[in-house]
Amino acid sequence: MKISIKRKFIIGFLLIFYIGYNTMSFFMNKLIVENNKDIIKKELLTFEKDLTTYLRQYFELKNKDMDSNNFNNSSNDIASNLSIKVGSRIMIYSCEGKFLTDSANANGQVLNYEDIDNKQNYSDEDLKLSIDNKSAFTIVPIKDKYLVVFSCPIINNNKNIGIVRSVMDYSEIFSSSKKLLKLTNTFVLLVFGVIFLFVVLLATKITIPILKLSKVTKEVAKGNFEEDITINSKDEIEELSLDFNKMKNKIKNQIETIKNDRDDLKKIAGHRKVFFDNMTHEMKTPLTIISGYSQILLKQDFNDKEFARKSVKKINDESERMHNMIIELLEISKVESKITSDTKEDVNISQIIDVACNDMKIRADKYEIHIEKNVDKEVTVLGNPNELRRVIINIIDNAIKYGYINSTVNVKLFKEHSNCNIIVKDEGHGIPSDKLEMIFEPFYRVAKQTSRETGSSGLGLSIVKKIIDKHNGDIKIISEESIGTEVHITIPLKVYNIVTSC
Ligand code: ADP
């Protein structure tokens, strides 16, 4: 069974209160009774002294010896006189404890204590002790009154001559101590009440944040990390809630990282599969052609020289194609490996573009394509010069490959903000807009026949993208079918540290 913290607090407090209150009441009662007994004892000692003095004087006045005989004979007189003198009921007993007289009968009642006659209300213990020469008293509570029955042996010449027993009213002293006890109890109840209220408030203050914490923990267990705990108690609980939020957000981030990593791994695995599928397919095509032509040539009865020449050319072309493809695959592997990425140096892009345009001129002339340059001087980036050269050559080569005969290829280089921008624009077939997003995938070719050369493998742009990414740059292709293509490349410029000295 689940018991809430608040309930535990309240039950615990009530238990402490019950035990504490009862123990305190018990001891307070005992203390008050003992205190009252001490007061009564002191008063009775004085009474005992006065009584002995009175009896001595009484027998002297009567000229009688103070012995048991005379005491017994004068018991009526002594009882009534004493009763009037002290204002209490007086009973006289012989030294053996035999009842002799009672002021209530002898003298008319001074006080109506009929209840005292009811033996059930008190014991004769005090009387028995007085027979043994000891004075003693018994407290007798009757209705709302407290009566004290005091037995006092009358000793003369070390001899007990009789016993005087008086009944005195001590209600007042007991009722005032009762009042004090009541007042103390009320005060204690009040204090406990305030403490109880405090305990309830404290328990609520502690349990509310715990409940909030437990609710959010359950949500976290379900995988919901959105809700934060907000507690403004300015104490350890607020600290705990802040730490909990931090921990929750950390777990959320970790889970997101794991999810992203998993998705990335899945993507990589998918890409790898597509890559290998494409690669085997691309390798298979030239191999099938080579194998087909070789088989024909190997036939012994084959003697068509013209066909043989064409077949050898085809075998040579396909071998070339495969060779280029392998070189490009090696390039991809090189770019992806970390070996080259660490070797970064100042690269003068302006120079690279100038040289590349010159190198490509012969190729462009072949198709009557004019290369137009618009290049800013001394544009420097930090990177790998070989890789960046490969990017420029690849883009200009594509512009020539896919540009119309007798057209212009425009090459631009300029600085903008903290970047260097390279734009290569051609006038050619262009790329359909729905194919643009696939253009950087390895082995992807829009249409095999659009390339005027057999060497096209579909790996060039994929290598270019990898190199640009490695240089923290960006590549974008804008194209319009039958009009032409624009390749925009952005690479961060080299940052120069300005050192000032005083
Ligand atoms: P490749 O040119 O060897 O086929 P690329 O990766 O360089 O491989 O290019 C992929 C494909 O993108 C090409 O096959 C071609 O269809 C298309 N392409 C690239 N550049 C251009 C361009 N300037 N104009 C038109 N199509 C282009």
Side-chain angles (χ1 to χ4, degrees):
M1 191 184 69
K2 186 182 138 188
I3 304 171
S4 68
I5 295 177
K6 191 173 169 182
R7 197 165 287 177
K8 277 183 194 162
F9 259 103
I10 293 169
I11 293 172
F13 174 80
L14 288 176
L15 214 75
I16 293 170
F17 169 70
Y18 179 77
I19 297 168
Y21 181 76
N22 282 317
T23 317
M24 197 210 70
S25 294
F26 173 77
F27 283 112
M28 279 290 285
N29 229 4
K30 213 168 153 120
L31 198 82
I32 284 169
V33 169
E34 286 306 315
N35 192 44
N36 286 351
K37 268 187 186 169
D38 278 350
I39 294 169
I40 293 167
K41 226 183 246 174
K42 269 183 202 157
E43 282 190 13
L44 290 180
L45 270 171
T46 323
F47 175 75
E48 191 177 357
K49 265 185 207 161
D50 291 349
L51 182 69
T52 321
T53 318
Y54 168 78
L55 285 173
R56 276 190 209 291
Q57 283 172 355
Y58 176 85
F59 282 110
E60 259 177 41
L61 274 173
K62 298 275 174 183
N63 232 347
K64 285 179 185 172
D65 282 340
M66 197 170 163
D67 57 21
S68 52
N69 255 349
N70 285 334
F71 182 81
N72 291 355
N73 292 336
S74 317
S75 59
N76 275 334
D77 192 31
I78 291 168
S80 59
N81 282 345
L82 252 178
S83 171
I84 292 163
K85 197 170 161 53
V86 297
S88 307
R89 181 179 173 183
I90 301 288
M91 290 173 276
I92 307 283
Y93 293 81
S94 73
C95 57
E96 295 89 17
K98 192 181 155 228
F99 173 75
L100 297 173
T101 188
D102 184 344
S103 70
N105 303 329
N107 215 13
Q109 273 177 298
V110 177
L111 286 164
N112 185 16
Y113 295 142
E114 67 269 6
D115 289 316
I116 273 293
D117 292 332
N118 185 350
K119 289 276 178 195
Q120 277 170 351
N121 285 331
Y122 71 105
S123 69
D124 281 339
E125 206 50 45
D126 56 305
L127 191 63
K128 279 176 198 157
L129 284 166
S130 290
I131 296 166
D132 287 339
N133 295 349
K134 288 170 192 157
S135 48
F137 69 90
T138 318
I139 299 168
V140 187
I142 297 166
K143 290 176 190 163
D144 52 347
K145 281 187 173 134
Y146 281 87
L147 301 178
V148 172
V149 180
F150 176 54
S151 289
C152 172
I154 311 297
I155 312 287
N156 193 29
N157 298 329
N158 289 331
K159 260 184 88 182
N160 187 343
I161 61 162
I163 294 161
V164 174
R165 211 172 172 213
S166 65
V167 180
M168 285 168 266
D169 189 352
Y170 273 93
S171 303
E172 212 165 292
I173 186 170
F174 276 97
S175 77
S176 59
S177 52
K178 252 187 172 177
K179 262 185 207 159
L180 180 74
L181 194 69
K182 219 173 166 179
L183 213 79
T184 320
N185 280 348
T186 320
F187 177 72
V188 169
L189 272 173
L190 222 88
V191 169
F192 270 100
V194 172
I195 297 173
F196 180 74
L197 257 165
F198 180 73
V199 165
V200 172
L201 280 174
L202 192 76
T204 316
K205 200 171 170 332
I206 293 172
T207 49
I208 284 176
I210 292 175
L211 285 175
K212 273 190 191 174
L213 208 71
S214 135
K215 191 182 151 228
V216 177
T217 312
K218 274 181 194 151
E219 287 299 313
V220 169
K222 279 186 211 160
N224 177 11
F225 292 91
E226 295 315 313
E227 205 175 320
D228 269 348
I229 310 173
T230 39
I231 297 165
N232 302 313
S233 53
K234 305 266 175 293
D235 54 17
E236 292 88 341
I237 296 173
E238 184 179 336
E239 227 171 77
L240 176 72
S241 71
L242 291 174
D243 287 343
F244 179 86
N245 286 341
K246 267 189 214 159
M247 184 192 74
K248 183 186 65 96
N249 291 333
K250 215 168 183 177
I251 294 173
K252 184 185 165 190
N253 291 340
Q254 293 279 12
I255 289 176
E256 254 161 35
T257 313
I258 292 168
K259 266 187 191 163
N260 289 341
D261 286 354
R262 189 196 58 194
D263 292 348
D264 284 352
L265 277 175
K266 269 189 190 168
K267 241 189 234 168
I268 289 169
H271 277 146
R272 201 157 282 171
K273 193 182 174 312
V274 172
F275 182 84
F276 279 108
D277 286 352
N278 285 336
M279 197 176 81
T280 40
H281 175 76
E282 292 296 327
M283 294 281 185
K284 236 172 92 186
T285 318
L287 276 175
T288 316
I289 297 168
I290 292 168
S291 145
Y293 281 106
S294 314
Q295 275 166 23
I296 298 168
L297 287 177
L298 281 172
K299 275 185 188 163
Q300 284 183 350
D301 55 346
F302 182 78
N303 52 16
D304 182 344
K305 277 198 179 158
E306 184 51 28
F307 187 79
R309 199 187 59 77
K310 275 187 185 165
S311 299
V312 171
K313 188 176 181 306
K314 198 81 185 153
I315 290 170
N316 182 54
D317 286 352
E318 290 305 316
S319 309
E320 191 92 334
R321 203 164 109 77
M322 265 185 78
H323 181 242
N324 287 340
M325 207 185 295
I326 285 165
I327 287 173
E328 283 185 321
L329 283 171
L330 283 172
E331 193 64 34
I332 290 185
S333 146
K334 225 161 87 186
V335 172
E336 280 186 341
S337 75
K338 297 257 185 258
I339 311 160
T340 48
S341 66
D342 294 337
T343 52
K344 279 194 174 171
E345 56 186 82
D346 287 2
V347 182
N348 189 333
I349 289 281
S350 318
Q351 211 173 32
I352 287 182
I353 293 179
D354 273 340
V355 175
C357 287
N358 282 342
D359 290 350
M360 301 301 281
K361 197 174 174 310
I362 307 160
R363 214 164 129 69
D365 287 346
K366 206 169 141 190
Y367 306 109
E368 293 166 43
I369 291 174
H370 169 64
I371 300 177
E372 203 176 271
K373 267 194 309 174
N374 201 341
V375 176
D376 278 3
K377 296 278 167 228
E378 300 303 320
V379 179
T380 313
V381 298
L382 206 64
N384 183 313
N386 289 331
E387 286 178 357
L388 291 171
R389 193 172 298 117
R390 192 186 161 97
V391 167
I392 305 298
I393 290 182
N394 211 303
I395 300 300
I396 299 175
D397 185 50
N398 275 355
I400 297 167
K401 261 196 306 189
Y402 303 103
Y404 292 133
I405 290 178
N406 200 7
S407 64
T408 307
V409 170
N410 234 295
V411 182
K412 254 194 212 171
L413 170 71
F414 59 95
K415 292 181 194 173
E416 197 179 54
H417 309 300
S418 53
N419 291 320
C420 96
N421 290 290
I422 305 160
I423 299 173
V424 178
K425 187 180 167 198
D426 65 59
E427 295 158 355
H429 302 287
I431 305 163
S433 54
D434 59 320
K435 303 281 183 343
L436 274 174
E437 58 179 273
M438 304 288 291
I439 217 77
F440 297 109
E441 296 293 322
F443 299 109
Y444 184 80
R445 276 164 289 172
V446 176
K448 283 175 194 168
Q449 61 273 23
T450 50
S451 165
R452 62 170 67 92
E453 289 177 8
T454 48
S456 133
S457 63
L459 288 169
L461 282 180
S462 128
I463 298 171
V464 165
K465 173 101 172 84
K466 278 187 175 48
I467 295 172
I468 298 298
D469 286 348
K470 228 168 86 175
H471 286 77
N472 303 318
D474 190 32
I475 178 163
K476 246 192 314 197
I477 294 187
I478 304 161
S479 189
E480 212 171 319
E481 270 184 281
S482 312
I483 303 253
T485 305
E486 269 182 46
V487 180
H488 291 238
I489 294 173
T490 330
I491 304 171
L493 285 168
K494 184 190 169 189
V495 182
Y496 291 94
N497 289 325
I498 300 162
V499 182
T500 52
S501 57
C502 309

